[in-house]
Amino acid sequence: MHLVGRDAEQARLRRLLTDARDGHSGALGLRGAPGIGKSALLDRAVSIAEAAGMRVVRAAGIESDHELAYGGLHQLLFPHVDRLDALPTPQASALRCAFGLAEGGDANRFLISAGTLSLLAQLAEDAPLLCVLDDLQWLDQGSAEALLFAARRFVADPIAVLFAVRETSAPFVLAGVEVMDLSGLAASDAARLLDGHAPQLAERVRTRVVAESGGNPLALIELGMSRLAARDADESDPAGQVGPLPVTRRVQETYRHQIVELPGATQRALLVAAADTAAPLAVILHVIESLGGAAGDLAPAERDRLVRIDSRITFRHPLVRAAVYQDAPLHRRIEVHRAYAEALRADADADRRAWHLAAATTRPDEAAATELDGVAERAWHRGGAMAVCAAYERAGRLSADRELKARRIARAGQAAFDAGRADRAARLAAEALALTADTGVRADAIYTRGAVEYERTSPRADAELTLEAAALVRDTDPERAALTLYEAAHAARHGAAHDLLERAADLLRGFTPPEHWAPVVAALLGWAELFAGRPEPAVGPMRALRTAAPGGGHDLMRRITAAIGGLMIADEDAVAAETEEMLAVVRATGALGWVPYTLNVLAVARLLRGEFADARACAAEGVAVSDELANRTESLAHRSVEVWLHAVSGDEARARALADEVLPRARARHRVNAEIAAWGLGMLDLSARRFGDACDRLDQVSRGPARRDLLVRAVPDLIEAAVRGGTPERARGPLAGFRNWAEHVDRPVATGLLLRCRALLADDGAADALYTEALRLHERHGGPYEQARTRLVYGEWLRRRRRRAEARGHLATAVSAFERLGARLWAERARGELAAFGERGDEPRHSGPLTLLTPQELQVVRLAADGRTNKEIAAQLFLSPRTVGHHLYKAYPKLGVTGRAELARLVR
């Protein structure tokens, strides 16, 4: 098959397929106007793949199935359900639920996405695989999300994925996938294509068709071969319409001319087929006959090649279907949809029947609305958030009762937010609020608006709205009130909006929560006490939450509240271990929306413990998942942590460039993590001995809005900068607050930091004992970084007192530790101290071996060292087993190991 004028595009397809056969995965999107040749290129790719022995799986979006949950995925993968038993059990269960093969559970959409990835990887085990998706703009959202999720994660599998999507005024975004935009053919190629299909055209018509087609292949063929063009183009010829009609409309006009010349019975039969393009042939024929027609009515359309008939009826092009359906009078369309609703069975075809019934209804109809409620419930159990939204919204439009309409519209708004459609969610929530005075429905709608504002503007805006929602239901619906106040408190904390947290605390203090919420409420009240400068009553309930029994289906909320609180009170050792467990749970259950929040906490815990390579891996994955979920606030939070990590590694250029990019937005969206980035920049100045600059920056952090959050940990850096810069008086005030915090949290790492601060400010008689006790604590607690920092300042103090041997021991140990951690500027500062009294420091050495790995490689290596198989690692990280193997293959030489046994010893 030769495609005129598409040599470059075909060459790109061949490279994609060749790479896949060589074990290098790839995905490519073809985007262009209707008729531009997307499907022809897909057909060409399929031909090349089949000739090379590749397996091909193929599906296409169907306009009439756009609102049916996972219809596209069913079309693509249902023939391979016999493979589901080979997948991780949670993924297999989710796919069975999505395909309607199992009942009773709720299909998590991220587990469905992970299952799609695993099933495609399974198919590629037999032979290299080409996965083709045409008309992606009409695929239901759940299917499109799952396939894009999988396509982005294949690395070392013999898999190529091809998408074709129509260019529209609201572009369908192929996030993370290379896109090849298709333009019209050059004039010479257009003329050659036209001559091949309509060689007898008069020159006048030929010239006009080439000019007016815009190089669109479909327009060239259809306009050139139209009966009117064959009659040398009279004035009604669409080929002769110059100017006002775009190419697509001209082609559609050509189809209309063909359709109106057909017998009336044929036009009616075509309308039946156009009203449900996915319906089986038997159903279509039944509906045609119920309207007084017969199977033979389709013969003239088949003869004119407007349709192809086999087990289904396929239109020659979607524009044919559009011309048939859009030109039919409204009463005819209603008649056809009603006939479908009567023909379809309420048990086997309940969803399709409900949508046809809704299409046949032009006024409020509670029976039709109730059937759509059922569609929404089934879609919710199958994990199709956008299908839930569409069903509830249409049910709301059909509701005769105003309160029922408000409730359905509010539910549609929440589903739209869950599906990532923030604009639609905000519009629906506002509509629900305008419809009702019911406090429960209003609280739900305001909660949705708050969730949207968290992403659109700031956590502070979210907190303001959710506080409004909580006030509506605090005295009437304790469960809803507790959930809403939880959201308000977390949003206020992220935004360092302590005035709003205090308002949340006021509502919580006069509130009797459900029993399973009581420990969370107590901990949140502890947050408010801590931020008000009263750590004594705060620490107990915050620490107690970690051991509280789960209950009420909100265990993840309990655990994330406990983990964040743990960071505030120096419990990062316990937080790291417990958050690791939580991360495993959210991965295993497919709760991908929780992954960025969990990784954020874990990244900070590891940062505080001096586990910088692991913190870097957490932040990198957090950015990737947040971007995939369009969670801009969490993406900025993770990138703020990356600023700190670049700073501690001494990569000044990257730290400052990323800070310049991130901080202006992060300060509005996630103030706590923005302050972590600012802390990092101050620490960078401190490590480079720019003590004045460090003191200025760290003073701003230590007096800023997050100063009593985990940013209290920046105070020891400020005190060191002030003392080394000759302005110790600047440390006195912040030290008092730090002392109050450290004494009440009563943790060895905090006590060690306090002792180090006191030693820096003490006279010679007291300093030695303070340094010694700080070092004793940091040798057992606080991690390698804080231990090295304490050795450095103690070694500096000893050098100035000419205690050379002692100083050299501490400074040399600090150099070694900093180098293992990859903290280059800190190592240089310690090495400079050695050189200052004549000792020659060792030459700079490479960082520890784990710092040589990419974040993804480090994640894989950690899990492999724990004894996990490639398949188990793949399930946890939402990768394919081959991709896991690829990362291990790249990691082994960097680490100087040859297998898992050596890997486990090295990591330990």
Side-chain angles (χ1 to χ4, degrees), residues 44-72:
R44 180 61 177 148
V46 168
S47 297
I48 296 170
E50 289 177 339
M54 296 179 72
R55 166 180 249 156
V56 177
V57 293
R58 188 170 188 174
I62 299 171
E63 192 171 6
S64 58
D65 277 10
H66 184 61
E67 308 294 4
L68 298 180
Y70 295 106

PDB file of all heavy atoms in Angstrom, residues 44-72:
ATOM      1  N   ARG A  44      -1.379   1.478   7.489  1.00  0.00           N
ATOM      2  CA  ARG A  44      -0.050   1.199   6.956  1.00  0.00           C
ATOM      3  C   ARG A  44       0.853   0.610   8.037  1.00  0.00           C
ATOM      4  O   ARG A  44       1.587  -0.357   7.795  1.00  0.00           O
ATOM      5  CB  ARG A  44       0.552   2.493   6.406  1.00  0.00           C
ATOM      6  CG  ARG A  44       1.950   2.326   5.826  1.00  0.00           C
ATOM      7  CD  ARG A  44       1.958   1.358   4.673  1.00  0.00           C
ATOM      8  NE  ARG A  44       3.269   1.235   4.060  1.00  0.00           N
ATOM      9  CZ  ARG A  44       3.723   0.132   3.497  1.00  0.00           C
ATOM     10  NH1 ARG A  44       2.973  -0.972   3.471  1.00  0.00           N
ATOM     11  NH2 ARG A  44       4.916   0.102   2.944  1.00  0.00           N
ATOM     12  N   ALA A  45       0.781   1.162   9.241  1.00  0.00           N
ATOM     13  CA  ALA A  45       1.582   0.635  10.347  1.00  0.00           C
ATOM     14  C   ALA A  45       1.188  -0.802  10.667  1.00  0.00           C
ATOM     15  O   ALA A  45       2.047  -1.657  10.932  1.00  0.00           O
ATOM     16  CB  ALA A  45       1.416   1.516  11.582  1.00  0.00           C
ATOM     17  N   VAL A  46      -0.107  -1.078  10.643  1.00  0.00           N
ATOM     18  CA  VAL A  46      -0.579  -2.442  10.911  1.00  0.00           C
ATOM     19  C   VAL A  46      -0.031  -3.407   9.860  1.00  0.00           C
ATOM     20  O   VAL A  46       0.422  -4.511  10.173  1.00  0.00           O
ATOM     21  CB  VAL A  46      -2.117  -2.473  10.963  1.00  0.00           C
ATOM     22  CG1 VAL A  46      -2.631  -3.917  10.942  1.00  0.00           C
ATOM     23  CG2 VAL A  46      -2.619  -1.745  12.200  1.00  0.00           C
ATOM     24  N   SER A  47      -0.047  -2.989   8.598  1.00  0.00           N
ATOM     25  CA  SER A  47       0.475  -3.846   7.523  1.00  0.00           C
ATOM     26  C   SER A  47       1.956  -4.148   7.722  1.00  0.00           C
ATOM     27  O   SER A  47       2.403  -5.296   7.578  1.00  0.00           O
ATOM     28  CB  SER A  47       0.263  -3.169   6.163  1.00  0.00           C
ATOM     29  OG  SER A  47      -1.104  -2.993   5.904  1.00  0.00           O
ATOM     30  N   ILE A  48       2.734  -3.109   8.059  1.00  0.00           N
ATOM     31  CA  ILE A  48       4.179  -3.305   8.283  1.00  0.00           C
ATOM     32  C   ILE A  48       4.404  -4.242   9.465  1.00  0.00           C
ATOM     33  O   ILE A  48       5.239  -5.153   9.417  1.00  0.00           O
ATOM     34  CB  ILE A  48       4.867  -1.956   8.528  1.00  0.00           C
ATOM     35  CG1 ILE A  48       4.767  -1.055   7.285  1.00  0.00           C
ATOM     36  CG2 ILE A  48       6.324  -2.146   8.920  1.00  0.00           C
ATOM     37  CD1 ILE A  48       5.205   0.383   7.546  1.00  0.00           C
ATOM     38  N   ALA A  49       3.643  -4.024  10.549  1.00  0.00           N
ATOM     39  CA  ALA A  49       3.819  -4.830  11.754  1.00  0.00           C
ATOM     40  C   ALA A  49       3.472  -6.293  11.488  1.00  0.00           C
ATOM     41  O   ALA A  49       4.219  -7.198  11.901  1.00  0.00           O
ATOM     42  CB  ALA A  49       2.954  -4.267  12.882  1.00  0.00           C
ATOM     43  N   GLU A  50       2.355  -6.529  10.827  1.00  0.00           N
ATOM     44  CA  GLU A  50       1.944  -7.920  10.569  1.00  0.00           C
ATOM     45  C   GLU A  50       2.942  -8.623   9.651  1.00  0.00           C
ATOM     46  O   GLU A  50       3.249  -9.805   9.842  1.00  0.00           O
ATOM     47  CB  GLU A  50       0.542  -7.936   9.983  1.00  0.00           C
ATOM     48  CG  GLU A  50      -0.519  -7.560  11.012  1.00  0.00           C
ATOM     49  CD  GLU A  50      -1.932  -7.493  10.423  1.00  0.00           C
ATOM     50  OE1 GLU A  50      -2.054  -7.347   9.179  1.00  0.00           O
ATOM     51  OE2 GLU A  50      -2.898  -7.565  11.207  1.00  0.00           O
ATOM     52  N   ALA A  51       3.449  -7.879   8.691  1.00  0.00           N
ATOM     53  CA  ALA A  51       4.442  -8.479   7.786  1.00  0.00           C
ATOM     54  C   ALA A  51       5.726  -8.840   8.532  1.00  0.00           C
ATOM     55  O   ALA A  51       6.439  -9.778   8.137  1.00  0.00           O
ATOM     56  CB  ALA A  51       4.753  -7.513   6.649  1.00  0.00           C
ATOM     57  N   ALA A  52       6.022  -8.128   9.615  1.00  0.00           N
ATOM     58  CA  ALA A  52       7.231  -8.399  10.395  1.00  0.00           C
ATOM     59  C   ALA A  52       6.983  -9.394  11.527  1.00  0.00           C
ATOM     60  O   ALA A  52       7.869  -9.626  12.353  1.00  0.00           O
ATOM     61  CB  ALA A  52       7.765  -7.093  10.977  1.00  0.00           C
ATOM     62  N   GLY A  53       5.782  -9.954  11.595  1.00  0.00           N
ATOM     63  CA  GLY A  53       5.483 -10.952  12.616  1.00  0.00           C
ATOM     64  C   GLY A  53       5.079 -10.392  13.955  1.00  0.00           C
ATOM     65  O   GLY A  53       5.075 -11.117  14.962  1.00  0.00           O
ATOM     66  N   MET A  54       4.726  -9.111  14.014  1.00  0.00           N
ATOM     67  CA  MET A  54       4.277  -8.520  15.270  1.00  0.00           C
ATOM     68  C   MET A  54       2.812  -8.866  15.526  1.00  0.00           C
ATOM     69  O   MET A  54       2.031  -9.043  14.594  1.00  0.00           O
ATOM     70  CB  MET A  54       4.448  -6.989  15.250  1.00  0.00           C
ATOM     71  CG  MET A  54       5.881  -6.521  15.151  1.00  0.00           C
ATOM     72  SD  MET A  54       6.032  -4.698  15.114  1.00  0.00           S
ATOM     73  CE  MET A  54       5.632  -4.284  16.816  1.00  0.00           C
ATOM     74  N   ARG A  55       2.458  -8.943  16.786  1.00  0.00           N
ATOM     75  CA  ARG A  55       1.055  -9.084  17.160  1.00  0.00           C
ATOM     76  C   ARG A  55       0.425  -7.689  17.148  1.00  0.00           C
ATOM     77  O   ARG A  55       1.055  -6.700  17.549  1.00  0.00           O
ATOM     78  CB  ARG A  55       0.952  -9.701  18.548  1.00  0.00           C
ATOM     79  CG  ARG A  55      -0.412  -9.579  19.169  1.00  0.00           C
ATOM     80  CD  ARG A  55      -0.444 -10.221  20.553  1.00  0.00           C
ATOM     81  NE  ARG A  55      -1.253 -11.412  20.531  1.00  0.00           N
ATOM     82  CZ  ARG A  55      -1.140 -12.414  21.372  1.00  0.00           C
ATOM     83  NH1 ARG A  55      -0.201 -12.389  22.300  1.00  0.00           N
ATOM     84  NH2 ARG A  55      -1.929 -13.454  21.295  1.00  0.00           N
ATOM     85  N   VAL A  56      -0.826  -7.599  16.710  1.00  0.00           N
ATOM     86  CA  VAL A  56      -1.528  -6.308  16.637  1.00  0.00           C
ATOM     87  C   VAL A  56      -2.817  -6.392  17.442  1.00  0.00           C
ATOM     88  O   VAL A  56      -3.592  -7.343  17.294  1.00  0.00           O
ATOM     89  CB  VAL A  56      -1.849  -5.919  15.176  1.00  0.00           C
ATOM     90  CG1 VAL A  56      -2.647  -4.612  15.147  1.00  0.00           C
ATOM     91  CG2 VAL A  56      -0.565  -5.772  14.366  1.00  0.00           C
ATOM     92  N   VAL A  57      -3.027  -5.437  18.328  1.00  0.00           N
ATOM     93  CA  VAL A  57      -4.323  -5.259  18.985  1.00  0.00           C
ATOM     94  C   VAL A  57      -4.808  -3.867  18.607  1.00  0.00           C
ATOM     95  O   VAL A  57      -4.031  -2.911  18.573  1.00  0.00           O
ATOM     96  CB  VAL A  57      -4.240  -5.424  20.512  1.00  0.00           C
ATOM     97  CG1 VAL A  57      -3.906  -6.866  20.875  1.00  0.00           C
ATOM     98  CG2 VAL A  57      -3.233  -4.478  21.139  1.00  0.00           C
ATOM     99  N   ARG A  58      -6.098  -3.768  18.321  1.00  0.00           N
ATOM    100  CA  ARG A  58      -6.583  -2.520  17.735  1.00  0.00           C
ATOM    101  C   ARG A  58      -7.982  -2.199  18.231  1.00  0.00           C
ATOM    102  O   ARG A  58      -8.804  -3.090  18.452  1.00  0.00           O
ATOM    103  CB  ARG A  58      -6.592  -2.641  16.211  1.00  0.00           C
ATOM    104  CG  ARG A  58      -6.906  -1.343  15.484  1.00  0.00           C
ATOM    105  CD  ARG A  58      -6.666  -1.476  13.992  1.00  0.00           C
ATOM    106  NE  ARG A  58      -6.788  -0.188  13.337  1.00  0.00           N
ATOM    107  CZ  ARG A  58      -6.518   0.043  12.053  1.00  0.00           C
ATOM    108  NH1 ARG A  58      -6.084  -0.973  11.288  1.00  0.00           N
ATOM    109  NH2 ARG A  58      -6.636   1.246  11.527  1.00  0.00           N
ATOM    110  N   ALA A  59      -8.234  -0.935  18.430  1.00  0.00           N
ATOM    111  CA  ALA A  59      -9.563  -0.469  18.807  1.00  0.00           C
ATOM    112  C   ALA A  59      -9.735   0.946  18.290  1.00  0.00           C
ATOM    113  O   ALA A  59      -8.764   1.602  17.901  1.00  0.00           O
ATOM    114  CB  ALA A  59      -9.747  -0.507  20.325  1.00  0.00           C
ATOM    115  N   ALA A  60     -10.982   1.388  18.295  1.00  0.00           N
ATOM    116  CA  ALA A  60     -11.280   2.750  17.841  1.00  0.00           C
ATOM    117  C   ALA A  60     -12.355   3.350  18.728  1.00  0.00           C
ATOM    118  O   ALA A  60     -13.271   2.650  19.193  1.00  0.00           O
ATOM    119  CB  ALA A  60     -11.745   2.740  16.385  1.00  0.00           C
ATOM    120  N   GLY A  61     -12.223   4.648  18.981  1.00  0.00           N
ATOM    121  CA  GLY A  61     -13.260   5.344  19.715  1.00  0.00           C
ATOM    122  C   GLY A  61     -14.549   5.393  18.908  1.00  0.00           C
ATOM    123  O   GLY A  61     -14.527   5.559  17.694  1.00  0.00           O
ATOM    124  N   ILE A  62     -15.659   5.221  19.608  1.00  0.00           N
ATOM    125  CA  ILE A  62     -16.973   5.228  18.972  1.00  0.00           C
ATOM    126  C   ILE A  62     -17.799   6.328  19.617  1.00  0.00           C
ATOM    127  O   ILE A  62     -17.980   6.343  20.842  1.00  0.00           O
ATOM    128  CB  ILE A  62     -17.671   3.861  19.130  1.00  0.00           C
ATOM    129  CG1 ILE A  62     -16.833   2.764  18.462  1.00  0.00           C
ATOM    130  CG2 ILE A  62     -19.073   3.892  18.553  1.00  0.00           C
ATOM    131  CD1 ILE A  62     -17.320   1.356  18.742  1.00  0.00           C
ATOM    132  N   GLU A  63     -18.281   7.242  18.812  1.00  0.00           N
ATOM    133  CA  GLU A  63     -18.929   8.430  19.356  1.00  0.00           C
ATOM    134  C   GLU A  63     -20.115   8.085  20.245  1.00  0.00           C
ATOM    135  O   GLU A  63     -20.308   8.676  21.304  1.00  0.00           O
ATOM    136  CB  GLU A  63     -19.362   9.350  18.210  1.00  0.00           C
ATOM    137  CG  GLU A  63     -19.788  10.729  18.658  1.00  0.00           C
ATOM    138  CD  GLU A  63     -19.989  11.670  17.499  1.00  0.00           C
ATOM    139  OE1 GLU A  63     -19.919  11.232  16.334  1.00  0.00           O
ATOM    140  OE2 GLU A  63     -20.214  12.869  17.755  1.00  0.00           O
ATOM    141  N   SER A  64     -20.902   7.102  19.846  1.00  0.00           N
ATOM    142  CA  SER A  64     -22.090   6.755  20.627  1.00  0.00           C
ATOM    143  C   SER A  64     -21.750   6.033  21.922  1.00  0.00           C
ATOM    144  O   SER A  64     -22.598   5.897  22.805  1.00  0.00           O
ATOM    145  CB  SER A  64     -23.034   5.875  19.796  1.00  0.00           C
ATOM    146  OG  SER A  64     -22.378   4.696  19.370  1.00  0.00           O
ATOM    147  N   ASP A  65     -20.494   5.557  22.068  1.00  0.00           N
ATOM    148  CA  ASP A  65     -20.078   4.864  23.292  1.00  0.00           C
ATOM    149  C   ASP A  65     -19.226   5.743  24.195  1.00  0.00           C
ATOM    150  O   ASP A  65     -18.658   5.266  25.174  1.00  0.00           O
ATOM    151  CB  ASP A  65     -19.261   3.613  22.932  1.00  0.00           C
ATOM    152  CG  ASP A  65     -20.151   2.431  22.597  1.00  0.00           C
ATOM    153  OD1 ASP A  65     -21.366   2.641  22.456  1.00  0.00           O
ATOM    154  OD2 ASP A  65     -19.627   1.313  22.463  1.00  0.00           O
ATOM    155  N   HIS A  66     -19.158   7.026  23.885  1.00  0.00           N
ATOM    156  CA  HIS A  66     -18.223   7.917  24.580  1.00  0.00           C
ATOM    157  C   HIS A  66     -18.474   7.965  26.084  1.00  0.00           C
ATOM    158  O   HIS A  66     -17.542   8.155  26.868  1.00  0.00           O
ATOM    159  CB  HIS A  66     -18.339   9.326  23.985  1.00  0.00           C
ATOM    160  CG  HIS A  66     -17.359  10.310  24.552  1.00  0.00           C
ATOM    161  ND1 HIS A  66     -15.993  10.151  24.448  1.00  0.00           N
ATOM    162  CD2 HIS A  66     -17.540  11.463  25.245  1.00  0.00           C
ATOM    163  CE1 HIS A  66     -15.377  11.162  25.036  1.00  0.00           C
ATOM    164  NE2 HIS A  66     -16.296  11.964  25.534  1.00  0.00           N
ATOM    165  N   GLU A  67     -19.739   7.793  26.512  1.00  0.00           N
ATOM    166  CA  GLU A  67     -20.063   7.902  27.924  1.00  0.00           C
ATOM    167  C   GLU A  67     -20.152   6.550  28.623  1.00  0.00           C
ATOM    168  O   GLU A  67     -20.523   6.488  29.792  1.00  0.00           O
ATOM    169  CB  GLU A  67     -21.401   8.647  28.109  1.00  0.00           C
ATOM    170  CG  GLU A  67     -21.496   9.991  27.398  1.00  0.00           C
ATOM    171  CD  GLU A  67     -20.538  11.034  27.954  1.00  0.00           C
ATOM    172  OE1 GLU A  67     -19.737  10.706  28.855  1.00  0.00           O
ATOM    173  OE2 GLU A  67     -20.565  12.187  27.487  1.00  0.00           O
ATOM    174  N   LEU A  68     -19.830   5.462  27.934  1.00  0.00           N
ATOM    175  CA  LEU A  68     -19.909   4.132  28.538  1.00  0.00           C
ATOM    176  C   LEU A  68     -18.552   3.777  29.140  1.00  0.00           C
ATOM    177  O   LEU A  68     -17.544   3.728  28.433  1.00  0.00           O
ATOM    178  CB  LEU A  68     -20.320   3.087  27.502  1.00  0.00           C
ATOM    179  CG  LEU A  68     -21.709   3.294  26.877  1.00  0.00           C
ATOM    180  CD1 LEU A  68     -21.991   2.197  25.868  1.00  0.00           C
ATOM    181  CD2 LEU A  68     -22.794   3.320  27.950  1.00  0.00           C
ATOM    182  N   ALA A  69     -18.516   3.524  30.441  1.00  0.00           N
ATOM    183  CA  ALA A  69     -17.259   3.309  31.159  1.00  0.00           C
ATOM    184  C   ALA A  69     -16.498   2.120  30.594  1.00  0.00           C
ATOM    185  O   ALA A  69     -17.016   1.017  30.499  1.00  0.00           O
ATOM    186  CB  ALA A  69     -17.545   3.085  32.644  1.00  0.00           C
ATOM    187  N   TYR A  70     -15.261   2.385  30.187  1.00  0.00           N
ATOM    188  CA  TYR A  70     -14.300   1.375  29.726  1.00  0.00           C
ATOM    189  C   TYR A  70     -14.767   0.597  28.500  1.00  0.00           C
ATOM    190  O   TYR A  70     -14.326  -0.525  28.267  1.00  0.00           O
ATOM    191  CB  TYR A  70     -13.933   0.422  30.876  1.00  0.00           C
ATOM    192  CG  TYR A  70     -13.209   1.168  31.964  1.00  0.00           C
ATOM    193  CD1 TYR A  70     -13.841   1.474  33.168  1.00  0.00           C
ATOM    194  CD2 TYR A  70     -11.919   1.647  31.767  1.00  0.00           C
ATOM    195  CE1 TYR A  70     -13.190   2.215  34.147  1.00  0.00           C
ATOM    196  CE2 TYR A  70     -11.267   2.385  32.734  1.00  0.00           C
ATOM    197  CZ  TYR A  70     -11.910   2.674  33.925  1.00  0.00           C
ATOM    198  OH  TYR A  70     -11.265   3.425  34.888  1.00  0.00           O
ATOM    199  N   GLY A  71     -15.609   1.244  27.687  1.00  0.00           N
ATOM    200  CA  GLY A  71     -16.009   0.600  26.435  1.00  0.00           C
ATOM    201  C   GLY A  71     -14.835   0.397  25.493  1.00  0.00           C
ATOM    202  O   GLY A  71     -14.730  -0.643  24.835  1.00  0.00           O
ATOM    203  N   GLY A  72     -13.950   1.383  25.413  1.00  0.00           N
ATOM    204  CA  GLY A  72     -12.792   1.262  24.520  1.00  0.00           C
ATOM    205  C   GLY A  72     -11.832   0.185  24.976  1.00  0.00           C
ATOM    206  O   GLY A  72     -11.312  -0.598  24.169  1.00  0.00           O
TER     207      GLY A  72
END
